Amino acid sequence: AQRVVRLAQIASTKHNPGLVPASPATVWRLAKAGKFPKPFKLSPGITVWDADEIDQWIASNGGRANENARPHK
């Protein structure tokens, strides 16, 4: 079965450290720029990311989430 994660699990906020040290807005900006895995919809109100793609992205970028991240393939 495919593992999925939601934005609240990926992005970091003041009270919740996420998988990457980036705000929700930065995660969206990187995804739109092709520098972070693209999300997909489970339903109209639920957007998720493939957990394996996130794990691969973290490994290839050393956990750094910035505008200089490598393009996601």
Side-chain angles (χ1 to χ4, degrees):
Q2 183 179 26
R3 296 181 312 123
V4 296
V5 290
R6 296 189 70 181
L7 183 60
Q9 296 167 282
I10 298 169
S12 295
T13 62
K14 187 175 185 177
H15 302 291
N16 180 38
L19 296 172
V20 297
S23 70
T26 299
V27 170
W28 279 114
R29 189 169 36 256
L30 290 170
K32 288 179 182 175
K35 296 181 178 183
F36 195 77
K38 296 284 185 197
F40 60 94
K41 296 275 191 182
L42 285 183
S43 69
I46 300 177
T47 301
V48 296
W49 280 258
D50 182 301
D52 291 334
E53 287 185 14
I54 299 300
D55 291 343
Q56 290 171 5
W57 185 89
I58 290 169
S60 70
N61 285 282
R64 294 182 310 277
N66 61 50
E67 302 302 324
N68 296 321
R70 295 184 191 123
H72 178 68
K73 295 179 183 177

